[in-house]
Amino acid sequence: MASTTGEERVLLGKVLALERRLGFTDGAVLGGLERFVARHVPEAAPLVRGYARRDPAARKDAVDALERWLAGPFPPPWEVPVAGLPGVGKRRAELLAKLGIRTVEDLLTYVPRRLEDRSGLRRIRDLRDGEVALVEGVVRAKSKVKVRRGLELVKVALDDGTGFLFGIWFNQPWVWDGIAEGERYALWGKVQARFGELQIENPVWERAGANEQTGRLVPVYPATEGLSQPVLQGFIRRSLDRYRAALLDVVPEAVRERYGLLPRREALERIHAPRSEEEFELARRSLAFEELFLLQVGVLTRRRPEGGGRALKVDRGLLNRFLGRLPFELTPSQRRAMEAIERDLRSGRPMLRLLQGDVGSGKTVVAAAACVMAASAGAQGAIMAPTEILAEQHFLVLGELLEGLPIRIAHLGGGLGRRERRSLLQAIAAGEVDLVVGTHALIQDDVLFRNLALAVVDEQHRFGVVQRAILEAKGEGTNILVMSATPIPRTVVLTLYGEFSVSVLSETPRSRGRVQTVWLSASRREGVYREVGERLGRGERGYVVFPVIEGSEELDLRAATAGYEELRRRFPGVGVALLHGRMAPEEKRGAMGAFRRGEVQLLVATTVVEVGIDVPDASFLVIEHADRFGLAQLHQLRGRIGRAGQEAVCYALGDPTTDEGRARLAAFRDLGDGFKIAEADLRIRGPGDVLGTEQSGFVSRLKAADLTRDLGLLERAREEALRIVEEGVPEPLLQEAGRRFGAALALLGV
Ligand code: ADP
Ligand code: MG
C-alpha cells in the first residue's frame, strides 16, 4: 500500500472541514469517515476507529486529533500505533503486541537477537553434506506433492551450471506461487546429501539479486508464531524509511563523540541492516548507551530533594561504649560502612544507603551501630524484617549487643495481646522506646513515632518499595539504611539503586568457605540421610529444607510434613522439629528456641529459615527438591550453616529437567562467593527474572542494553549523567528521560 501523498493530505483536510461544518454527522463522505481514512491515509486509521458509532463529542475529538495529525509534519514515532501501518491488520497488530511492539518507536527499537551470515556464494558442485550455504541458479523444474494428509511438499530443482540442488518446502503452499520456472533464485540453508541428491529443506529463498534475505548479514529478531522474519523486517524497513526524519539525538554530541558512538538515526539504521558484526555491535552499544544515559539522568534527577533532614548529633561516647563491648573486632569494611553512616547522619541530608554483603558478612552489627548513633542523638530507630522469625531473632541479637547501654528496645511482634500492643504503641509514640524491631507490622497506620530518624530495612528484596516509603514517612527526613540479603550485581545496583550510596562488606568475619556443597540426584537420598544420621550421632545440628512455592503451598506443606514424620521415625533418639510459615507464632518460637538450645538437633523446615537465621552451631543442610529453588535462595540457605567457622556440608538433592535448572545447581555447587553467585544468576536467568515483577518493567524498557554484560557502558553512562546533572539537565533531555523511563522509575519510588 502506498503511503500518504500530499494530495491525500489536502483532500483529508477538506473532508474534515466539511465534517466539522456538518456538525459531526459522519456525512462528509460517502461510506463514512472511517472508511475514507482507512483507504487514503491508513496511518491515521486508529484515530477514527468506530467513528460511525461514536457520539458527536467523541467524533469531534477524533476530528481534532486527525487535524492535529495533519498539521504536524510527522507525529513522533512513539505516538504512532503500529496498528495503522500499511500491512498491519488487527491480527498482526495483536501478534506484534505480543512481542511488546505497539508503536512505531517500539518497532524501530526492536533489537535483533543475533545476526545470521547468509553471504558467501558457493558452487553446487563443491557443496558438502551438512554445510550451511548460499547458492544461486535457475529453477529448471518445480513439483508439488501431497505426501499424506496434512503434509504437502513443494520441490524445485536449482541449476547453477555446476550441478543441481533441490529445495524442498513443507506446508508452505505460497512457495509454489512465488517461484517461477526459468527464473534465477538464491537459496540458503543446510545442505543434505540424501537419496543421491543434494537438498536443502525449507531454505530461505528470494529472487537472485534481491539481497534482502540472502547475500548479507541478516538480522534475526525474537519472533512469535504467525509473524515471519521477512514480514517483521519489512515493517521495520518501511518504518525506518518513513520516520527517519523523526529520529532525533538525545545524547549530547560531545558525549557521543567521546565514546565514538553513532547518532540515534544511524545507530537504528545500522542495527537493522549491519554490514559487519562490528557495525552491529557498535550500533547496539550506541543505542544501549543512550538508554542507560537517559535512565541514569532519570534516576539521578529523582534523587530526593535536599533538606528535610536534620543533622543528628551522634554521641561518640555511647558509640564507643557499644563498640568496646562487642565480643569481636569489626572487619575493615564493617568499620568503613559504619563511618559512612555516621557521616550521613551528621550531614543534615537524609541518608539513603544500601548495605551490601554476602551471607554472614555481618550486616546486623553495622545496623545496630547505626541504631546506637540515632539513639545517642535522642532520636528513634526502627528495624523492619521480612518474617516474624527474623524480627524475633533481631530483637534477641540486638538485645544482647545493646545490653548495658541506655537504649530501650522493643519488639512489635505478631504475638502481642491487644493490651500489650496498645501500651507498646503508646510508648513508641511517647518516645519511651528508642528502637523498635518488627515485620511490616511496623508500617501499620496506628504505629506512630515521636521522633523516627532512622529506618533500617533488612533483606530489602522481600519488601515492596511502597512499604519502605510508608516506614520512611513515619519520620521526617528519615534516614534510610537498606540491607540486601545476598549481593546484588553491580549493574543492577547502579540502575535500581542508582540514587543510593552503597557500602559493601567485602570480607566475611569468620573463616567461611569450609562449607562443602554436594549436588546429588534424588535417587541418592538414602545415602545422604545415612550421613545425616552419623552427624546426628556425633551431636551435630542441622536443617532439612523443603520448598514451599507460591501456587502449590498446600501440596508443598504436605510434602514437608510427610518428610518431617518420616525423619522423626527414622531418627527416634534425636529431637526433630518442624517449622513452617503456617504455624502459630508461639509454635514457631518454640521450635526455633529448642533448636537454638540444642534440644532439637534436626530442624525440618520450609523456606522460612531462608534468610537471616543465625544458629552458629548448625553444620549440615539437606535441601530437598533443590531444583525448585532460585540460586540466590539456595545461597541464602547455605548461609545458615558453618557460621561458627566449623566444617559443614550442604546436600542439594534434585534432578532439574531444564538446562537452566542444571546451570543453576552447577553454579551453586561450584561458587561459594555471593557476588559471583549474583552475577551467575543474572547470566542464567536474565535481568527480568532476577529483579522480580516490581522491577521487571524497568528491564523491558531497556531494548539494547544488557544488564548481564554492559557494566562498562553503564558506568560511563552514569559518569556522563552525573556530569550533566551537575551542570543542569537541558529540558528536552529531561523530558525524554521522563518519557522513556518515568513510569518505570515511579514504580520503584525511593
Ligand atoms: P548477615 O550479613 O548475613 O546478616 P550477620 O549480621 O547475621 O550476617 O552476622 C553473621 C555472624 O557473624 C553473626 O553471628 C555475627 O555475630 C558474626 N559477626 C559479625 N561481625 C563479626 C566480626 N567482625 N567478627 C566476628 N564475628 C562477626
Ligand atoms: Mg542478616
Side-chain angles (χ1 to χ4, degrees), residues 358-360 362-364 390 393-394 458-459 483-485 611-613 636 640 643:
D358 203 350
V359 188
K363 294 181 284 281
T364 316
L390 199 52
Q393 177 183 289
H394 275 325
D458 193 17
E459 318 294 1
M483 306 198 284
S484 70
V611 287
I613 296 300
Q636 267 299 321
R640 299 309 114 223
R643 289 173 79 89

Side-chain angles (χ1 to χ4, degrees), residues 415-480:
L416 288 182
R418 283 232 327 237
R419 272 246 279 320
E420 289 169 295
R421 184 179 145 80
R422 183 141 23 94
S423 73
L424 178 52
L425 289 183
Q426 271 166 8
I428 296 170
E432 289 156 12
V433 168
D434 302 302
L435 177 58
V436 189
V437 184
T439 59
H440 26 258
L442 286 180
I443 60 173
Q444 283 166 3
D445 285 343
D446 55 357
V447 183
L448 299 172
F449 290 84
R450 185 176 140 84
N451 184 12
L452 180 68
L454 172 69
V456 179
V457 182
D458 193 17
E459 318 294 1
Q460 148 72 15
H461 69 293
R462 296 282 208 93
F463 289 103
V465 176
V466 179
Q467 292 165 311
R468 192 174 77 215
I470 297 176
L471 182 58
E472 182 180 3
K474 291 189 181 284
E476 229 172 275
T478 313
N479 296 284
I480 303 281

Side-chain angles (χ1 to χ4, degrees), residues 75 95 141 167 177 182 192 235 331 336 362 379 440 447 465 473 523 589 715 738 744:
L95 291 172
D177 303 319
Q192 294 176 299
F235 291 154
T331 64
R336 275 196 301 277
H440 26 258
V447 183
V465 176
S523 62
R589 203 173 308 144
E715 282 176 332

